C-alpha cells in the first residue's frame, strides 16, 4: 500500500499587530500563519495529507521541502511590487515581505529537489517573479476593457469568466478547450519569466495559467480551484494532477472517471507541452 503523500501548503502571514481580536485568537504581539481550509479539504479529497507551512526563516526551506512530496503555493497577500522593479501604490492590498522572501526560497528548493509545485493565484504570480517575470500592480493597467478579476459578489466557487486553455496537455487534463473559473485577484502576470509560457488566458488576454518547459512538474493557475472544489469536482482537477505527478501516473479527467489512469513512471507533466498554432 502506498504511503499517503504529504502536501505542504503555504498560507497568509499575519503580523503581530494584526493578530489580536476579530477573527483571530491570541495575545497582543503574536503573529499567525493561516492556512485556508479549502486547500486542506481539496488535498484530502484526492487522497493526500495536508500540512501547513508558515513563513519562517528561509534557512529552513531546504529541510521543509525535503519532508514533502509536493508543494502548494497558496493565494493571499499582494506580491511586493519592488520584487519586479515597480513601486507599490494605493491600489495595493496588504504586502507581506517576510512571506515573499520565505516563499521565494521555498520555490528555489522545490525546483532544486524536483518536487511538484501547484501554484494558485498569488502563488502563480510569485512563481513568475521568481523566474524574473513582472506583474501588473493592478489589472486596470492591462487595458481599458479588462474584466472584473476581483469578483467577490458571489459565492467563492462562482465561475465569473471564461478561460481558454492554450496548452494541449492542459486541455487533455480538463477534457475541453475552455473552462469557466472564479476570480479573486487584482494583480496579474505582465511579462513572463525565463522559461515560462502562458498555458491559459482569459477573454481579455490576462494570463490565467503558466507552466515551465524546463520543469514539467510545475503548474500555476490564476483562479482558485480549491474554492471551486467545494461546489463541484472540476475544482479538484489540479489537485489530482499534483498527486499524479507524485505517483508517476498519467491521466486525463475522463480517464480518472473511468478509473483507467496508467502508470508511466514519469507522471503527467508539461515539459514537452504542445501549444496551438493559431
Amino acid at each position: 500500500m502506498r504511503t499517503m503523500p504529504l502536501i505542504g501548503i503555504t498560507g497568509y502571514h499575519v503580523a503581530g499587530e494584526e493578530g489580536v481580536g476579530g477573527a483571530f485568537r491570541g495575545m497582543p504581539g503574536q503573529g499567525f500563519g493561516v492556512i485556508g481550509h479549502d486547500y486542506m479539504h481539496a488535498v484530502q479529497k484526492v487522497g493526500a495529507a495536508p500540512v501547513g507551512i508558515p513563513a519562517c526563516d528561509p534557512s529552513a526551506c531546504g529541510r521543509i521541502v525535503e519532508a514533502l512530496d509536493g508543494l502548494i503555493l497558496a493565494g493571499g497577500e499582494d506580491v511586493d511590487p519592488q520584487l519586479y522593479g515597480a513601486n507599490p501604490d494605493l491600489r495595493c492590498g496588504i504586502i507581506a515581505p517576510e512571506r515573499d522572501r520565505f516563499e521565494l526560497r521555498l520555490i528555489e528548493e522545490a525546483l532544486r529537489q524536483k518536487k511538484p509545485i501547484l501554484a494558485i493565484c498569488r502563488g502563480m504570480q510569485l512563481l513568475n517573479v521568481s523566474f524574473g517575470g513582472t506583474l501588473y500592480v493592478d489589472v486596470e493597467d492591462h487595458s481599458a476593457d479588462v474584466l472584473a478579476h476581483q469578483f467577490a459578489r458571489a459565492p467563492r466557487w462562482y465561475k465569473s469568466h471564461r478561460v481558454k486553455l492554450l496548452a494541449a496537455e492542459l486541455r487533455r487534463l480538463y477534457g475541453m478547450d475552455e473552462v469557466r473559473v472564479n476570480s479573486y485577484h487584482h494583480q496579474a502576470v505582465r511579462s513572463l519569466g525565463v522559461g515560462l509560457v502562458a498555458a491559459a488566458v482569459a477573454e481579455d488576454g490576462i494570463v490565467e495559467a503558466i507552466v515551465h518547459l524546463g520543469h514539467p512538474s510545475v503548474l500555476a493557475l490564476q483562479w482558485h480551484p480549491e474554492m471551486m472544489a467545494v461546489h463541484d469536482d472540476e475544482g479538484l482537477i489540479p489537485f489530482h494532477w499534483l498527486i499524479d505527478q507524485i505517483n508517476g501516473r498519467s491521466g486525463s479527467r475522463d480517464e480518472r472517471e473511468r478509473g483507467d489512469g496508467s502508470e508511466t513512471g514519469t507522471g503527467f507533466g508539461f515539459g514537452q507541452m504542445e501549444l496551438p498554432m493559431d
Side-chain angles (χ1 to χ4, degrees):
M1 187 174 69
R2 273 204 181 101
T3 303
M4 184 180 288
L6 187 65
I7 307 299
I9 307 169
T10 61
Y12 285 95
H13 180 72
V14 183
E17 57 269 23
E18 297 179 70
V20 175
F24 291 104
R25 303 171 180 86
M27 298 296 291
Q30 284 185 304
F32 294 84
V34 183
I35 311 300
H37 285 189
D38 287 346
Y39 293 103
M40 295 189 292
H41 294 160
V43 165
Q44 289 185 296
K45 284 178 181 178
V46 297
V51 59
I53 309 175
C56 58
D57 191 311
S59 64
C61 286
R63 180 66 185 92
I64 290 170
V65 172
E66 183 181 320
L68 301 174
D69 295 299
L71 173 65
I72 293 174
L73 297 169
E77 300 90 352
D78 280 9
V79 175
D80 185 356
Q82 294 186 68
L83 291 175
Y84 50 91
N87 291 312
D89 60 35
L90 294 178
R91 299 172 298 175
C92 288
I94 292 173
I95 294 170
E98 301 93 339
R99 181 179 179 186
D100 289 341
R101 184 170 62 251
F102 173 77
E103 291 183 8
L104 285 169
R105 178 73 71 84
L106 208 59
I107 292 169
E108 180 183 328
E109 282 294 333
L111 294 171
R112 186 181 67 82
Q113 297 185 35
K114 294 181 170 56
K115 299 293 178 76
I117 299 173
L118 174 60
I120 294 173
C121 197
R122 164 199 153 87
M124 169 172 137
Q125 296 164 8
L126 190 67
L127 182 79
N128 185 55
V129 169
S130 76
F131 282 101
T134 64
L135 307 178
Y136 292 106
V137 174
D138 191 277
V139 293
E140 69 180 18
D141 295 336
H142 175 263
S143 65
D145 57 353
V146 70
L147 295 172
H149 286 269
Q150 181 71 296
F151 192 79
R153 299 180 181 180
R156 65 189 186 280
W157 47 260
Y158 178 76
K159 300 174 182 180
S160 61
H161 68 79
R162 292 177 296 177
V163 166
K164 182 179 181 180
L165 305 179
L166 302 178
E169 295 288 13
L170 196 56
R171 295 197 300 269
R172 190 172 78 89
L173 187 63
Y174 275 87
M176 59 189 81
D177 296 336
E178 186 177 272
V179 295
R180 295 195 68 91
V181 301
N182 57 3
S183 195
Y184 294 101
H185 67 102
H186 81 98
Q187 293 182 311
V189 168
R190 186 169 197 155
S191 64
L192 288 162
V194 176
L196 294 169
V197 295
V201 294
E203 302 161 74
D204 56 7
I206 290 289
V207 175
E208 290 281 338
I210 57 177
V211 296
H212 196 291
L213 297 181
H215 297 281
S217 293
V218 172
L219 173 61
L221 307 174
Q222 186 57 74
W223 64 90
H224 279 272
E226 82 289 352
M227 295 183 187
M228 292 167 58
V230 305
H231 187 256
D232 74 66
D233 285 346
E234 185 177 287
L236 293 177
I237 289 174
F239 298 92
H240 281 295
W241 171 87
L242 184 64
I243 302 307
D244 286 344
Q245 286 294 290
I246 293 166
N247 290 336
R249 284 202 301 264
S250 173
S252 67
R253 183 182 190 181
D254 289 342
E255 288 168 344
R256 283 195 307 277
E257 289 173 352
R258 293 195 306 267
D260 62 355
S262 61
E263 295 289 336
T264 68
T266 59
F268 168 78
F270 293 92
Q272 291 78 42
M273 189 184 68
E274 178 184 335
L275 293 175
M277 298 303 293
D278 55 0

